Amino acid sequence: MPLSKLSNPRPLRSFPTSKTYLFGENHKVIKEDRVASVQTISGTGANHLGALFLARYYRPPGLPPHGGVKLYISNPTWANHEPIFANVGISATKYPYYDPKTIALDMKGFSKTLEEAPNHSIFLLHACAHNPTGVDPTPEQWKELAEIFLRKKHFAFFDCAYQGFASGSLDNDAFSVRLFADLNVPMLVCQSYAKNAGLYGERIGCLNLIASTAGDGVGGKARLQSQLSVLSRVEISNPPTFGARIVSKILNDPQLFEEWKRDVKEMADRIIWTRETLYNLLTQKYQTPPLGDSGNWEHIRRQIGMFSFTGLNPEQVAVIVKKGHVYMTGNGRISMAGLNTKNIEYVAECIDKAVRGTF
Amino acid sequence: MMRAAAAQSTSPARASSPFYSRKVALSLALPRKRIFHNANYSQRALRGVSTWANVKQGPPDPILGVTEAFKADTDSRKINLGVGAYRDENGKPFVLPSVRKAEESIVKAKYDKEYLPITGFGEFTKNAAILAYGKDSTPLKEGRVAITQSISGTGALRIGAAFLSRWYPHAKTVYLPTPSWGNHTPIMKDSGLEVKQYRYYDKKTVGLDFKGLVEDLKAAPSNSIVLLHACAHNPTGVDPTKEQWKEIADLVKEKGHFPFFDMAYQGFASGSVDADAFAPRYFVEQNIPIVLSQSFAKNMGLYGERVGAFSIVTASPEEKARVDSQLKILVRPMYSNPPLHGARIAGTILADQELYGQWLGEVKHMADRIIGMRADLKKLLVSDLGSKLNWDHITNQIGMFCFTGLTPEQVAKLKSEHHVYLTNDGRISIAGVTPHNINHLAESIHEVTK
């Protein structure tokens, strides 16, 4: 970008490199130029704009003209999802997702809801590193889910806040998104660079809508792009420059991109280290009795991303907070990012005491 | 023409992924065959009927159209007067030295990039309020002003409109001046407010239709929300005089109207931040509760960094706390928290005595350049070219924009015959006028109007 363009009011425009990062440059939706993208105020802004676009324009057959769109969100999900949709007039129903007994995915309940929902319903999916549980479908399960989506003509609203940050591989973390796009499931994807690029406060994200064609024909990318710009203009005029320049530079400079991928892997690896270490401490050092019907502590290792649903119940959590001074939310969720070499043994000890009732 | 499912378009990323199986992809692709039997669907059938078939092409941005036509023009004399951003005497974007200095110190300090609070960077909002209201402002001193950082002026207007739409206890209608900035109407409407107009610009005098303004505000139902441009009205450049502002304030008080001030040019209009804030400050002094949208796009040249603030003068610190909590509830589902970088720059400048003084000088410099161009343009038309028309409005108007009074036909001629680009309403951006192009501009205007 020429220096003379610095500090210019930027025209609203697409964020081309972000979608390539998301789908991979060889994905058909990229090659066929079918992704309408708009820079947003991080992931929240993308979720909001995506929700707003659906509220305005999602009119599948059989739906009354004024809307009445049905949205399903996972139980549980990020606390802000429901208010984001309510804010644009879409009320949410929860679909079974997390099974507290097995401390794992309730695939049966999830599939059943998908089958029983009216055709063309919108389902909010976490692309990877489910927030708050850390429980993700396996690739096989994603394929099963995609098959139901296609049969039921559901719309997939993907929230992708952790690409690269979850497993350390940006391709693996984008598996679900790329699969659904390849299978032509109607969908959009919200991206955030808050965590994977650590750009939190700079507010950099992107909303991507997949069109049926490039250009400005019916259902075409250009039409979607233009209406996304209109909606964005009425709320923010144009998105903030600084964070976007950073991400753009990284994505477009091969050397910086490689360096960034290493940085992201380093963060992901540290999180994975906390999982492995906590697991080892609980199973080997303390031999803490397993929770629920799980029979083990595998979920600590199997879950992915920043958060972990430990399986601790509210009473156990209360005791850990009060007696151990270890702070976590009442649903037993811990942020693995808060663990480090200095505190992980102490936390394992507290979990052990809480489970045994020996505080 | 039927594509063999997903087999042809294997992406290396997918092929190398241990999770991907072509067999599964093919089997999952089978349902598409059924749709294909209807010959009418053809290519679309491969993806089913488009989810977005009902989305129409959106209207192009009118200002963008001006810039595009300008770019396509190859004549060396061409001038772009559509741009709503300041340009220096060489027609280049101007990054304020005080901004550069603040930015360098910020980068050097290597601050982290953690989230700002929902209502933004405290150091910035605190000082933005002082800048707007004046440090001796009673409600400020009494801790009664609720303020949140916003995505520049647009974001402030949007938060304000959404807040009023949700909480204003009277009719959810806002009165806008005719004309007003193009984005005001959709911002208000999308937030759930009904939009009505009050007379403002008088085509005949190329000035303020004060009589019409007063009549319309009198006729409006009591307790109506009224949007007022604090200074440098966009797009006309026509501002009320101090005396007229006082009359408007009296009328607003009498009718119990609720002023929504949009202040996008504080300091940039006259060169003095205090003079430009006269109107909102006067209203506040008169104990009229106001809400205020501030932008730092122009006066700090921070355009793309999106720095602004929205504030509400409340009745008490307790009310302020309640209002503050509701602002947060509005912001969180829209974008969670505002961007960091620009607010740090603005906050640094406002909080540092030296940088602040430097910035005031730079704002005055920008304002003076604009004022100088206005004077020169008028002089060229009247004295040098001998135009018979009255061009007083060029120097009477204030701020970045000037409503020339040119008709759409004259504007079209300016574009096609003289390579001067402006919007059809005859508005020119004085910021686009430089010593290098002012002669051509004056001559062109004279040619189409004589």
Side-chain angles (χ1 to χ4, degrees):
Chain A
M1 189 184 288
L3 279 171
S4 65
K5 279 212 172 353
L6 291 175
S7 254
N8 255 10
R10 293 167 71 240
L12 281 174
R13 63 162 196 243
S14 56
F15 195 166
T17 48
S18 189
K19 61 185 158 193
T20 314
Y21 171 68
L22 178 65
F23 291 107
E25 61 185 348
N26 291 308
H27 197 291
K28 72 179 183 191
V29 297
I30 298 294
K31 284 177 132 159
E32 294 166 13
D33 193 24
R34 289 196 281 123
V35 185
S37 304
V38 151
Q39 186 189 330
T40 55
I41 313 285
S42 207
T44 306
N47 272 266
H48 164 70
L49 188 59
L52 182 60
F53 193 86
L54 288 170
R56 286 285 166 90
Y57 292 108
Y58 187 63
R59 298 289 179 269
L63 232 59
H66 61 267
V69 159
K70 212 152 164 51
L71 167 80
Y72 290 81
I73 58 179
S74 64
N75 184 11
T77 191
W78 176 45
N80 210 12
H81 274 141
E82 201 161 351
I84 287 172
F85 281 91
N87 192 39
V88 297
I90 300 178
S91 62
T93 309
K94 295 224 161 81
Y95 62 82
Y97 188 80
Y98 172 72
D99 184 345
K101 284 201 268 26
T102 58
I103 317 182
L105 180 66
D106 179 1
M107 186 63 178
K108 213 153 155 236
F110 187 3
S111 306
K112 186 159 179 281
T113 308
L114 280 168
E115 297 281 6
E116 290 174 358
N119 285 6
H120 300 288
S121 294
I122 302 169
F123 277 78
L124 193 146
L125 304 168
H126 298 229
C128 63
H130 183 270
N131 176 3
T133 66
V135 169
D136 282 353
T138 62
E140 279 314 309
Q141 287 172 324
W142 274 122
K143 287 170 199 167
E144 285 178 49
L145 294 168
E147 193 269 329
I148 310 175
F149 266 79
L150 282 172
R151 237 188 320 105
K152 296 284 297 178
K153 305 189 208 307
H154 289 325
F155 186 94
F157 188 111
F158 273 103
D159 190 355
C160 184
Y162 300 100
Q163 188 188 359
F165 188 92
S167 69
S169 153
L170 25 127
D171 292 320
N172 289 355
D173 289 347
F175 172 78
S176 61
V177 161
R178 294 176 184 184
L179 171 73
F180 273 56
D182 195 56
L183 297 175
N184 302 318
V185 175
M187 58 187 271
L188 62 78
V189 187
C190 304
Q191 286 174 284
S192 168
Y193 289 89
K195 287 84 175 171
N196 59 10
L199 286 173
Y200 304 96
E202 303 294 359
R203 317 308 291 131
I204 176 71
C206 189
L207 173 67
N208 305 279
L209 241 64
I210 300 189
S212 52
T213 64
D216 57 6
V218 171
K221 173 209 164 185
R223 289 198 188 182
L224 300 188
Q225 191 88 50
S226 70
Q227 295 296 356
L228 284 170
S229 296
V230 166
L231 288 175
S232 193
R233 178 158 168 80
V234 164
E235 293 189 359
I236 63 170
S237 277
N238 354 77
T241 325
F242 193 67
R245 283 197 176 125
I246 295 175
V247 174
S248 197
K249 202 158 169 68
I250 291 173
L251 295 180
N252 283 291
D253 179 317
Q255 231 173 331
L256 263 178
F257 186 56
E258 289 307 311
E259 190 176 336
W260 178 52
K261 282 198 285 189
R262 285 196 296 273
D263 290 341
V264 179
K265 187 164 190 317
E266 189 183 313
M267 289 191 288
D269 284 348
R270 194 184 90 69
I271 300 280
I272 291 166
W273 171 86
T274 64
R275 291 184 178 281
E276 292 291 328
T277 308
L278 185 60
Y279 173 82
N280 289 334
L281 284 166
L282 290 171
T283 54
Q284 285 159 33
K285 180 168 181 186
Y286 293 101
Q287 297 180 356
T288 313
L291 296 167
D293 295 347
S294 62
N296 53 52
W297 286 97
E298 278 302 320
H299 54 280
I300 301 283
R301 293 204 289 197
R302 199 177 48 234
Q303 287 165 5
I304 192 165
M306 197 180 298
F307 301 111
S308 170
F309 254 31
T310 52
L312 293 166
N313 62 40
E315 293 75 37
Q316 292 163 331
V317 168
V319 152
I320 285 191
V321 171
K322 191 150 186 248
K323 298 276 179 69
H325 311 282
V326 176
Y327 291 83
M328 60 182 74
T329 45
N331 52 14
R333 182 193 88 162
I334 60 176
S335 167
M336 303 309 285
L339 292 169
N340 55 51
T341 53
K342 300 189 216 7
N343 64 21
I344 198 164
E345 283 224 32
Y346 176 68
V347 171
E349 186 189 342
C350 288
I351 292 175
D352 183 71
K353 282 187 175 157
V355 170
R356 292 181 194 278
T358 55
F359 244 117
Chain B
M1 210 191 342
M2 180 158 70
R3 271 182 7 192
Q8 278 181 5
S9 57
T10 38
S11 92
R14 286 214 319 276
S16 65
S17 163
F19 306 115
Y20 196 75
S21 150
R22 283 165 75 150
K23 202 168 166 194
V24 175
L26 283 169
S27 67
L28 287 174
L30 278 173
R32 290 180 286 177
K33 273 189 186 163
R34 271 181 257 129
I35 304 168
F36 188 68
H37 288 316
N38 182 339
N40 286 334
Y41 283 110
S42 66
Q43 187 72 8
R44 282 194 305 166
L46 295 171
R47 304 179 187 106
V49 177
S50 170
T51 309
W52 303 116
N54 64 325
V55 177
K56 298 188 174 55
Q57 183 72 22
D61 185 280
I63 311 289
L64 219 59
V66 171
T67 304
E68 274 163 14
F70 166 80
K71 279 191 190 154
D73 190 327
T74 51
D75 194 294
S76 59
R77 294 165 298 168
K78 66 179 181 177
I79 310 176
N80 185 358
L81 299 179
V83 66
Y86 179 82
R87 295 286 177 265
D88 65 16
E89 45 280 325
N90 295 309
K92 297 279 181 285
F94 176 58
V95 178
L96 280 63
S98 57
V99 167
R100 279 281 182 240
K101 225 172 172 177
E103 192 170 41
E104 274 158 20
S105 75
I106 287 164
V107 171
K108 219 169 165 183
K110 291 198 196 293
Y111 295 123
D112 64 34
K113 294 191 177 297
E114 295 299 287
Y115 292 124
L116 281 174
I118 299 175
T119 50
F121 185 39
E123 182 92 310
F124 162 67
T125 50
K126 184 181 81 175
N127 287 304
I130 294 173
L131 176 68
Y133 294 92
K135 65 173 164 41
D136 294 323
S137 174
T138 307
L140 252 191
K141 290 201 289 200
E142 292 175 3
R144 296 193 275 119
V145 178
I147 187 163
T148 177
Q149 184 183 332
S150 62
I151 313 290
S152 207
T154 302
L157 288 162
R158 183 55 191 240
I159 294 171
F163 184 85
L164 292 171
S165 177
R166 193 173 278 188
W167 296 106
Y168 189 62
H170 307 287
K172 320 273 193 199
T173 307
V174 60
Y175 285 77
L176 302 182
T178 305
S180 195
W181 179 45
N183 214 9
H184 275 145
T185 297
I187 291 172
M188 299 296 152
K189 279 195 170 148
D190 265 46
S191 306
L193 295 175
E194 195 193 342
V195 169
K196 293 210 162 113
Q197 304 290 138
Y198 61 88
R199 278 171 285 170
Y200 191 83
Y201 174 70
D202 188 341
K203 267 204 246 295
K204 286 190 255 73
T205 62
V206 200
L208 181 64
D209 178 3
F210 190 61
K211 190 157 167 288
L213 183 156
V214 167
E215 271 172 27
D216 287 351
L217 291 190
K218 266 210 174 106
S222 297
N223 310 119
S224 294
I225 304 167
V226 180
L227 187 123
L228 300 161
H229 296 226
C231 61
H233 181 271
N234 178 1
T236 68
V238 169
D239 282 353
T241 61
K242 271 192 178 161
E243 282 315 307
Q244 288 170 329
W245 273 124
K246 290 181 180 173
E247 280 187 60
I248 296 171
D250 286 341
L251 174 54
V252 160
K253 237 187 188 170
E254 182 194 312
K255 294 282 302 185
H257 287 332
F258 192 84
F260 191 153
F261 272 102
D262 185 358
M263 186 154 70
Y265 299 99
Q266 187 185 7
F268 190 90
S270 71
S272 154
V273 294
D274 294 316
D276 288 347
F278 169 78
R281 289 181 189 182
Y282 181 78
F283 275 57
V284 169
E285 272 167 42
Q286 298 299 306
N287 287 319
I288 304 169
I290 69 167
V291 298
L292 171 70
S293 154
Q294 279 173 277
S295 169
F296 288 83
K298 286 85 177 168
N299 60 9
M300 280 197 184
L302 286 172
Y303 304 98
E305 304 293 356
R306 318 308 290 128
V307 185
F310 173 72
S311 54
I312 305 178
V313 177
T314 66
S316 66
E318 185 270 331
E319 182 170 278
K320 174 202 161 178
R322 283 187 279 116
V323 164
D324 193 68
S325 71
Q326 291 300 338
L327 286 172
K328 289 179 180 149
I329 290 172
L330 272 172
V331 168
R332 176 88 168 123
M334 286 182 77
Y335 57 85
S336 284
N337 40 70
L340 196 42
H341 192 67
R344 272 186 177 144
I345 294 174
T348 301
I349 291 173
L350 293 175
D352 179 300
Q353 208 177 10
E354 214 183 292
L355 271 177
Y356 182 67
Q358 185 183 337
W359 171 60
L360 288 179
E362 288 158 8
V363 177
K364 185 166 189 318
H365 165 80
M366 289 193 288
D368 284 347
R369 193 183 95 65
I370 303 256
I371 291 166
M373 287 292 99
R374 287 183 180 274
D376 289 350
L377 182 61
K378 179 172 135 181
K379 179 173 165 297
L380 281 168
L381 282 165
V382 173
S383 313
D384 297 27
L385 295 164
S387 174
K388 299 285 184 290
L389 301 171
N390 185 335
W391 294 104
D392 285 349
H393 50 282
I394 294 183
T395 46
N396 286 341
Q397 288 166 9
I398 191 166
M400 198 182 295
F401 300 113
C402 167
F403 248 32
T404 55
L406 293 172
T407 64
E409 296 75 33
Q410 290 166 331
V411 168
K413 269 206 185 139
L414 273 181
K415 288 184 201 176
S416 61
E417 292 173 23
H418 300 278
H419 313 279
V420 175
Y421 293 85
L422 63 161
T423 44
N424 290 332
D425 53 8
R427 181 193 88 162
I428 60 174
S429 169
I430 303 283
V433 181
T434 73
H436 307 286
N437 64 25
I438 194 169
N439 287 309
H440 175 66
L441 176 61
E443 282 157 16
S444 306
I445 293 177
H446 184 56
E447 277 305 306
V448 305
T449 56
K450 66 180 184 192

